Amino acid sequence: MTKCPTCGADSDGTTATCHACGASLSETTQSFAPVVAEESEYGLRGADAEGPLLVVRKGPDVGERFYIDRHSLSVGRDPRADIFLNDVTVSRAHALLLLAGDEVSVTDAGSLNGTYVNGVCVDKAILRDGDVVQVGTFQMMFLAGKGK
């Protein structure tokens, strides 16, 4: 036996409305157990990587990894970009990632919407482990890799 959520009258559960007040007895909201995102999902797993990388954590293609394995990588909506981000909020030539020794930097390439590091619009920034890089709707975490 269930109770009407509006008036509290008993119901046998076979009707869609309460016999006492006429309120709907069908539930519109379902309960669920929330899923807790673990920090290791992006942070600790990336610490085992041999070199630096970006991991998409918000926006299209969540979880995709881009390894920074060359001196220079172009980032943009152009299909020929080294890191192709297919979204209209990304400029065709949006940014450039530069690897020099153990240091990775990001430089905006004159994009319309800007390149952000940790929520700040930058022309150029050196990336540190855990920094968040935003290019259009793509929010990516920078992971320095082993020993960085």
Side-chain angles (χ1 to χ4, degrees), residues 74 77-84:
S74 59
R77 195 177 77 240
D78 187 325
R80 294 171 295 186
D82 298 311
I83 297 177
F84 173 56

Side-chain angles (χ1 to χ4, degrees), residues 37-94:
E38 297 178 20
E39 182 63 32
S40 64
E41 184 177 350
Y42 300 107
L44 299 178
R45 285 191 319 192
D48 294 334
E50 289 298 320
L53 70 149
L54 289 170
V55 180
V56 178
R57 66 180 216 169
K58 288 187 181 176
D61 304 323
V62 169
E64 186 165 355
R65 292 170 174 239
F66 300 106
Y67 290 89
I68 303 166
D69 56 0
R70 295 194 306 261
H71 169 69
S72 175
L73 293 168
S74 59
V75 179
R77 195 177 77 240
D78 187 325
R80 294 171 295 186
D82 298 311
I83 297 177
F84 173 56
L85 301 176
N86 191 16
D87 189 86
V88 295
T89 60
V90 177
S91 295
R92 289 191 180 278
H94 198 105

Side-chain angles (χ1 to χ4, degrees), residues 2-22:
T2 59
K3 293 205 175 274
C4 172
T6 304
C7 72
D10 288 332
S11 169
D12 62 8
T14 60
T15 61
T17 58
C18 175
H19 66 85
C21 70

